[in-house]
Amino acid sequence: MTAPLFRKLPDDRVRVHLLTLTVDGQAITAEPGDSVASVLLRLDPPASRTTPVTGSPRAPYCLMGVCFECLAIVDGVASTQTCLVEVGEGMCVQRQNGRREMAIEVPDCGAMAIGSEVSR
């Protein structure tokens, strides 16, 4: 295992209560106020997802919600922008591999379109 590219600098002036969350089933500690993306950057590998087409790893980039490179599954919600989410006690984070799985529910409208006509 290689050393992570990013690390949190210690601040001896501040005493904080650490939170525990899980990332891919591994318990990780973080400070209140940390973003999920910053936690992922401190791990090895620092990737938050892989691309749907080539499977190449992607990591948080802009850290302000513009680039969508930090997408991961947070507490069961896929494609969450982790740079915009603060860590919470007991939070469950999974790296998002490939394409997001979606369950699509179609409402029963009582009508079905056939060609240009609508049948009831």
Side-chain angles (χ1 to χ4, degrees):
M1 190 161 134
T2 62
L5 296 173
F6 299 89
R7 62 186 168 93
K8 188 159 182 105
L9 297 175
D11 187 354
D12 296 331
R13 300 171 297 164
V14 180
R15 200 113 169 114
V16 295
H17 171 72
L18 296 178
L19 303 170
T20 302
L21 63 148
T22 59
V23 178
D24 296 333
Q26 178 183 3
I28 304 293
T29 56
E31 293 180 9
D34 285 352
S35 70
V36 175
S38 69
V39 171
L40 290 171
L41 283 171
R42 294 191 299 259
L43 299 178
D44 183 32
S48 59
R49 68 182 184 97
T50 60
T51 61
V53 177
T54 65
S56 64
R58 308 302 289 178
Y61 180 69
C62 75
L63 299 175
M64 61 182 183
V66 176
C67 73
F68 296 92
E69 295 296 338
C70 65
L71 299 179
I73 303 166
V74 178
D75 288 335
V77 179
S79 294
T80 300
Q81 288 179 276
T82 60
C83 67
L84 302 177
V85 177
E86 284 188 20
V87 296
E89 182 65 43
M91 183 178 275
C92 179
V93 179
Q94 294 173 286
R95 290 181 172 101
Q96 190 166 297
N97 295 314
R99 182 174 57 155
R100 171 185 170 181
E101 295 296 323
M102 294 177 51
I104 299 173
E105 291 187 33
V106 179
D108 181 16
C109 299
M112 186 172 89
I114 300 175
S116 61
E117 298 178 25
V118 175
S119 65
R120 296 207 186 251

